[in-house]
Amino acid sequence: MSNTSTNSIDLTAKPLVTMSGHEGTVLGIAYLPEGKKVVTCSRDRTIRVWDAESGEQEGTSMEHEGRIRGIAVTKDGKKVLSGCRKNGMKVWDVETHELIEEWENHTGGDMWCIAMSPDDQLAASGDTSGEIVIREMNEGGQIKHSIGTGMTVYSLCFSPNGEKLACAVNNPAGEVDLGIYAIHVYDVESGELILGPIIGHEYTINCVLWSFDGTRLFLASDDDTIRCWNSGTGESIGEPWKGHTDSVTSFSLSPDGTKLASASYDTTVRFWDARSGDPIGHPLQHDNLVYAVTFSPSGEFVTSGGFNDKVSIWRVPWWDDSHKEVITRFTHFLTPFLTVFITAAT
């Protein structure tokens, strides 16, 4: 990786669309598969669906009794899964915004993050008590595995083939042999730990994401860096990616898997070459802390949100119409992986 970083910011770059309506920090963003609608969740305890072209909210808000920790959209775009700090998970109908199912949180801790498997068959959640719960989506949320890690689970992500689950665990006051800031990888079928702890970051790991070929894990941390690891051996790949000047809160891979967008408390979204870690273009400047970012299914846009309660859609700096034919071939297969499930701010 190059030691140089793109610190200059193109102040002329402006969002194409801005959605206003949330009354609290935007904590999660997901596109519906066709790319014309965006689903968001917020500290205001609501989930909202937006028209990506007009920026208008569609229908009524879907409401939780507590703070929503994350959202996931099924591959067919018909359902939204949401996780709440104290009140478990809910499954919503995207078209009607009506509640379909509700699954109670069975652990004593606050739910911190959620993820859905690529085939929509399983949903995983992690909490502050250190429990990871894997549920059967088509069996009314029946628990497949309950795994104790002993540390707060900040982020979860299924591997592209759905056979493994990577988890960011953090335990600043814990024992060194458990891994203070670490990644664990579990076998989904057995629930057994098969890799980890992977240790390298100096502060809290906020987000974990698999590469689309399943060979690498990307980590975002409060130490202001992104790191890449071999998902088979747990060995570090290259040097930390440096450029952000504050906590990296979440990130998203482009539909072709070649680029990564990252959100940060330094009020920017930055772009990176997913293989080399080199920065791409200029950061996108926001007027407040950025907590969530995701690519559109076409790869033409990124959508971001954070502490200004707004959701913004930007065109990626490298885009031209020649990308469309290439990207379309990937969209059908990779849409389930475009959403990064992020944790709520404390």
Side-chain angles (χ1 to χ4, degrees):
M1 173 185 165
S2 170
N3 291 323
T4 61
S5 62
T6 305
N7 290 313
S8 60
I9 297 173
D10 182 4
L11 297 178
T12 64
K14 301 296 181 184
L16 302 175
V17 180
T18 299
M19 289 91 93
S20 301
H22 278 301
E23 298 177 356
T25 302
V26 176
L27 301 174
I29 303 171
Y31 270 89
L32 296 185
E34 78 285 354
K36 296 180 180 179
K37 297 180 182 180
V38 177
V39 184
T40 60
C41 68
S42 166
R43 187 177 285 190
D44 67 10
R45 304 181 180 183
T46 69
I47 302 160
R48 304 179 188 227
V49 180
W50 309 85
D51 183 295
E53 293 185 357
S54 69
E56 297 295 321
Q57 182 177 342
E58 297 196 346
T60 58
S61 301
M62 295 163 270
E63 298 184 4
H64 268 273
E65 294 79 14
R67 187 184 304 172
I68 303 168
R69 309 306 281 196
I71 52 174
V73 177
T74 56
K75 188 163 52 178
D76 61 10
K78 294 182 178 180
K79 297 177 182 178
V80 175
L81 177 68
S82 59
C84 178
R85 181 170 182 173
K86 285 290 188 183
N87 303 105
M89 292 189 186
K90 293 186 177 183
V91 183
W92 306 86
D93 185 291
V94 170
E95 188 66 29
T96 66
H97 300 189
E98 293 180 354
L99 181 64
I100 300 173
E101 291 185 81
E102 187 171 4
W103 308 330
E104 292 185 3
N105 184 9
H106 84 290
T107 70
D110 292 342
M111 187 179 295
W112 200 261
C113 53
I114 66 169
M116 190 179 296
S117 64
D119 61 4
D120 292 341
Q121 298 300 305
L122 300 172
S125 62
D127 68 19
T128 56
S129 72
E131 288 290 316
I132 297 168
V133 178
I134 301 176
R135 298 175 182 265
E136 304 275 0
M137 284 287 293
N138 294 331
E139 300 294 335
Q142 178 178 330
I143 295 174
K144 179 180 177 70
H145 295 298
S146 183
I147 304 166
T149 70
M151 294 173 280
T152 298
V153 183
Y154 271 52
S155 179
L156 300 162
C157 188
F158 283 91
S159 61
N161 62 11
E163 296 177 358
K164 300 176 184 179
L165 183 70
C167 312
V169 292
N170 298 276
N171 189 26
E175 298 178 11
V176 174
D177 62 347
L178 288 176
I180 296 177
Y181 309 103
I183 294 296
H184 291 176
V185 179
Y186 293 91
D187 180 87
V188 171
E189 184 59 33
S190 68
E192 296 296 320
L193 179 69
I194 55 175
L195 182 65
I198 301 172
I199 303 172
H201 281 289
E202 299 177 358
Y203 296 99
T204 298
I205 302 169
N206 294 312
C207 194
V208 57
L209 184 66
W210 291 83
S211 63
F212 289 154
D213 63 6
T215 63
R216 292 168 293 152
L217 289 166
F218 301 101
L219 312 183
S221 172
D222 278 351
D223 63 15
D224 308 348
T225 71
I226 297 167
R227 296 192 67 170
C228 186
W229 303 82
N230 184 301
S231 63
T233 65
E235 296 178 354
S236 179
I237 299 174
E239 297 297 319
W241 303 3
K242 296 181 179 180
H244 283 296
T245 58
D246 207 332
S247 299
V248 186
T249 52
S250 68
F251 42 29
S252 175
L253 277 171
S254 60
D256 63 1
T258 65
K259 299 174 180 67
L260 187 145
S262 58
S264 171
Y265 279 178
D266 67 9
T267 72
T268 69
V269 165
R270 292 175 181 260
F271 299 100
W272 313 82
D273 183 295
R275 178 58 64 174
S276 68
D278 291 331
I280 299 173
H282 296 282
L284 302 178
Q285 180 64 55
H286 295 64
D287 59 12
N288 213 318
L289 312 185
V290 191
Y291 208 87
V293 66
T294 190
F295 276 95
S296 67
S298 67
E300 184 176 357
F301 310 104
V302 289
T303 300
S304 57
F307 281 67
N308 65 356
D309 307 346
K310 297 177 181 179
V311 180
S312 299
I313 298 178
W314 313 69
R315 180 169 280 110
V316 296
W318 60 85
W319 186 264
D320 63 67
D321 287 343
S322 65
H323 288 80
K324 291 184 178 180
E325 182 179 351
V326 176
I327 295 297
T328 300
R329 297 203 300 268
F330 290 87
T331 302
H332 175 73
F333 298 101
L334 299 182
T335 295
F337 304 109
L338 298 183
T339 303
V340 175
F341 306 108
I342 51 185
T343 61
T346 56

